[in-house]
Each structure stands twice: as structure tokens, then as C-alpha cells.
Amino acid sequence: MLLSLVLHTYSMRYLLPSVVLLGTAPTYVLAWGVWRLLSAFLPSRFYQALDDRLYCVYQSMVLFFFENYTGVQILLYGDLPKNKENIIYLANHRSTVDWIIADILAIRQNALGHVRYVLKDGLKWLPLYGCYFSQHGGIYVNRSAKFNEKEMRNKLQSYVNAGTPMYLVIFPEGTRYNPEQTKVISSSQAFAAQRGLPVLKYVLTPRIKATHVAFDCMKKYLDAIYDVTVVYEGKDDGGQQREAPTMTEFLCKESPKIHIHIDRIDKKDVPEEQEHMRRWLHERFEIKDKMLIEFYESPDPERRNRFPGKSVHSKLSIKKTLPSMLILSGLTTGMLMTEAGRKLYVNTWIYGTLLGCLWVTIKP
């Protein structure tokens, strides 16, 4: 019975992060909404600067739980510039935690507030945050034939024209790679074979549309492309790859190490024409695939469970994350201590969600 209680307690490690991250959502959205109204008659750069700062505060709290709370080891390989840049971030897609990897890298460049995502269209219906991510510079897209190129171009061009700092995150595979989803993998491999492209084993065949539109719109504004490859160590057993950890499993410390390989590619080395870029992007994913094959399958034990080259164990100081957690949780607790505050809190959840859904419906 005691052992059962210990195991149950351990499995509930995700409860505190879940309560805080979700519980502070109305507080954060209210703070953003007040600033949005106050800045309505100010130049857009003033709104953007504080919005980026607010976003940095919230995401720093997220990283408090996903780095400091879990105690995960971050192993960095390759090139991560110390200074912030305007970039497109291209990565393999393995877990619901992948979006946090972009935060992990951005905070180490003091660029956390500049992170913006290309997201699946269905995520715009998230309570409160579905609308906010769009306001912060996120772009919702449909896959395949429903992809709205004009809409994406218009949004990106407006950000470029406004001088908005961009750390634009794209997952070109379009969906997560899960070794247990054999039909998805087979379909992806068949897609590559039909087009005369090399078949990939540990990543899915990348799609070109979002990447090409982003680069074409931002090429004069960009500094570089970051090609990022990620492995979550700890879920794999005896060399056999398994599904990457979910957010809940990650918070329960089921992935004690994350290996992150970064290639910084100068924009002049990226082809502009779509078909040439398609081949280039596939070649980048071939490089990822070869690294992952060596990570899992190398006959040399010294080269297995690591990426090529030197790794750096990067530990994030709690000073960068704890203040944000204390500020947001403290403000939320204060709001909930009064009857008027509780009413405002509940109404924000209800009406904020409804208004957000209405907004993303009428204004993509």
C-alpha cells in the first residue's frame, strides 16, 4: 500500500505545473488585454515591445517547470549564437513538448519574447490562448490542399513591415513522428518515393509550403535559418525507439535528457525557388535522419546516444524563471482572494474564450 501511494504521488508531479500554467491564464490574458486597450492610440512598436515582454514573462514561467522543476539535462550540440537574431526555426517534430524546445533555445539568446509559431489550424480554438497566439504573431495554417498561402503571406508581410522581431518556429513534417504509428510513417515514405526523394527512417518527409512562404516573405529581413534536431532520451529501451514523452510524462521526469543539435544556416545558402528549396529541405532532413540513425544504431557504443561533435551541458539559472512564476501565481492568488476578483477570473475564462473564438472566426 505504501509503495502504491509513493508511485501515485510521483505520477502526480504534473499536477502543480498544470494548475499553475492553466490557472494563471486569465491573469495573463487580462494583463495583455489591458495593455492592448491602453496602446490602441500608440505606435505599434510600443505595443509590440511590451507584448513581447509579457510573453517572455509567461514563457519563463513555463520554462521554470520544464527545466528547473523537472531537472532535465539539456545537451546542446552545434551552433547557437549568443545574440538574438531574426530567424526561421526548422525542427523535427516528435512530441507535444517540441514547442518548448524553441523556448529553451530562445531564452539562451535573450529572444524568448520573439518566439512565434506556425501552428495547426485547430489550435486556434484553445481557450484564451488560441486567440492570443494569433495576436502575438502566430500563424494558423491548414495542411495540404487547404493551405492558404495568401493569408500566411499577408500576415508575415505585415510583421516585416512593422519591424517585428521574428523567431518563427516551423515543423515541416506537419505532424509528429511516432514510431508506433506505422501507417503514418509508411505513407510519408511512399510520398517521398513517388517524388524520387530519398526515403527517411527516423523523420517524416518534410512539406515545403509553409517554409517556402516564410522564407520568401522574410528573406530580406532574416539573419539565418536554425536547423534543429531533437531527441528525448529516456523513453527508449535497449536501442528500440519508442514514442517521445508527452507533456505529462515529461513533467513526471520520464525524459531526463534532451539532446538538441543546432545548425545555423546563413540565408544566402538557402535556395529561393520552390522546387530547389524542396530538394534543399529534404536534404536537411536527410542529415537529421543520418544523425538519428547513428544516435540509435551506431555499432560504436561511444557514438550511440549522442549527436556528432562536442556537447555542452546547458543549465538554465533559476533566476531567469522563478520570478515570473512567483509574479503570475501571486497575482492570480490575489485575484482569487476577493469575491470581485473571483468573478472577474471566471468571467475571463468564459467570455474571454467565447470572444477569442469569435475573433479567430471572423479575422484569421
Side-chain angles (χ1 to χ4, degrees):
M1 183 176 178
L2 180 60
L3 177 60
S4 176
L5 179 61
V6 170
L7 292 174
H8 180 70
T9 302
Y10 181 78
S11 69
M12 299 297 279
R13 284 175 58 93
Y14 67 90
L15 262 186
L16 174 62
S18 300
V19 168
V20 175
L21 293 175
L22 291 175
T24 56
T27 308
Y28 179 79
V29 171
L30 277 171
W32 167 77
V34 169
W35 173 237
R36 175 78 273 188
L37 291 173
L38 292 175
S39 64
F41 301 103
L42 297 175
S44 61
R45 66 179 182 275
F46 290 105
Y47 162 73
Q48 192 64 64
L50 188 55
D51 178 50
D52 285 357
R53 186 58 198 156
L54 286 171
Y55 188 79
C56 182
V57 169
Y58 185 83
Q59 296 298 345
S60 294
M61 179 181 66
V62 171
L63 290 177
F64 168 78
F65 289 109
F66 281 89
E67 284 207 54
N68 301 120
Y69 178 81
T70 63
V72 66
Q73 293 185 49
I74 307 294
L75 296 172
L76 300 180
Y77 305 75
D79 315 310
L80 181 65
K82 292 182 179 179
N83 298 322
K84 64 185 74 174
E85 300 182 290
N86 288 318
I87 63 136
I88 295 174
Y89 171 112
L90 303 175
N92 61 320
H93 197 9
R94 302 176 70 85
S95 168
T96 51
V97 184
D98 287 340
W99 63 278
I100 295 170
I101 302 299
D103 289 350
I104 285 172
L105 298 183
I107 198 172
R108 286 161 170 79
Q109 296 178 274
N110 294 316
L112 186 55
H114 302 167
V115 176
R116 313 177 203 282
Y117 300 93
V118 174
L119 300 158
K120 290 181 181 178
D121 190 66
L123 293 174
K124 69 185 180 184
W125 305 114
L126 284 172
L128 299 182
Y129 284 117
C131 176
Y132 173 71
F133 285 144
S134 176
Q135 295 298 300
H136 182 68
I139 300 171
Y140 292 109
V141 298
N142 286 302
R143 286 180 287 176
S144 303
K146 295 182 179 180
F147 179 81
N148 190 329
E149 179 176 329
K150 182 179 179 180
E151 183 180 303
M152 184 175 180
R153 282 185 180 276
N154 289 341
K155 289 202 74 171
L156 285 172
Q157 195 59 57
S158 69
Y159 300 146
V160 171
N161 293 343
T164 304
M166 295 297 289
Y167 202 102
L168 185 66
V169 179
I170 302 175
F171 299 106
E173 291 162 285
T175 192
R176 293 190 297 274
Y177 175 94
N178 179 352
E180 298 177 9
Q181 297 289 334
T182 55
K183 289 185 178 180
V184 174
I185 296 172
S186 296
S187 175
S188 173
Q189 292 174 340
F191 180 85
Q194 289 169 5
R195 284 154 181 77
L197 299 169
V199 172
L200 306 173
K201 183 175 183 181
Y202 284 113
V203 291
L204 302 177
T205 303
R207 307 302 175 105
I208 189 61
K209 289 181 180 178
T211 303
H212 178 258
V213 171
F215 186 81
D216 192 50
C217 291
M218 298 169 58
K219 58 192 173 188
K220 294 180 180 179
Y221 190 64
L222 289 177
D223 295 303
I225 284 181
Y226 291 179
D227 183 7
V228 179
T229 308
V230 181
V231 170
Y232 300 89
E233 188 179 331
K235 285 281 288 182
D236 306 317
D237 181 28
Q240 298 299 312
Q241 187 185 199
R242 295 182 181 177
E243 183 181 1
T246 62
M247 293 182 72
T248 298
E249 291 167 335
F250 191 91
L251 290 168
C252 289
K253 295 193 68 173
E254 293 197 25
S255 182
K257 289 184 182 179
I258 306 177
H259 300 259
I260 308 173
H261 188 281
I262 308 105
D263 270 335
R264 182 190 183 279
I265 303 167
D266 195 281
K267 64 179 181 180
K268 65 180 176 58
D269 296 324
V270 181
E272 296 183 17
E273 199 275 325
Q274 183 168 332
E275 283 307 311
H276 292 164
M277 184 181 283
R278 186 192 305 277
R279 169 59 68 175
W280 172 86
L281 183 61
H282 198 86
E283 287 173 354
R284 296 308 310 178
F285 271 72
E286 287 180 65
I287 294 171
K288 293 179 186 293
D289 201 43
K290 289 174 182 176
M291 285 197 297
L292 291 168
I293 289 171
E294 185 164 320
F295 187 97
Y296 290 112
E297 301 180 11
S298 176
D300 182 356
E302 296 295 322
R303 300 173 69 179
R304 204 179 307 138
N305 294 322
R306 57 173 290 109
F307 286 133
K310 182 181 178 181
S311 66
V312 176
H313 179 204
S314 179
K315 186 173 178 59
L316 184 64
S317 170
I318 198 169
K319 294 178 181 179
K320 283 183 172 283
T321 61
L322 183 60
S324 295
M325 196 277 289
L326 294 176
I327 290 169
L328 285 172
S329 58
L331 288 172
T332 302
T333 300
M335 186 187 303
L336 293 174
M337 290 179 69
T338 66
E339 183 177 350
R342 288 191 293 272
K343 186 175 181 180
L344 177 62
Y345 182 89
V346 172
N347 286 338
T348 301
W349 266 119
I350 296 172
Y351 296 110
T353 298
L354 292 175
L355 288 172
C357 290
L358 178 61
W359 181 262
V360 296
T361 299
I362 63 176
K363 187 172 182 179

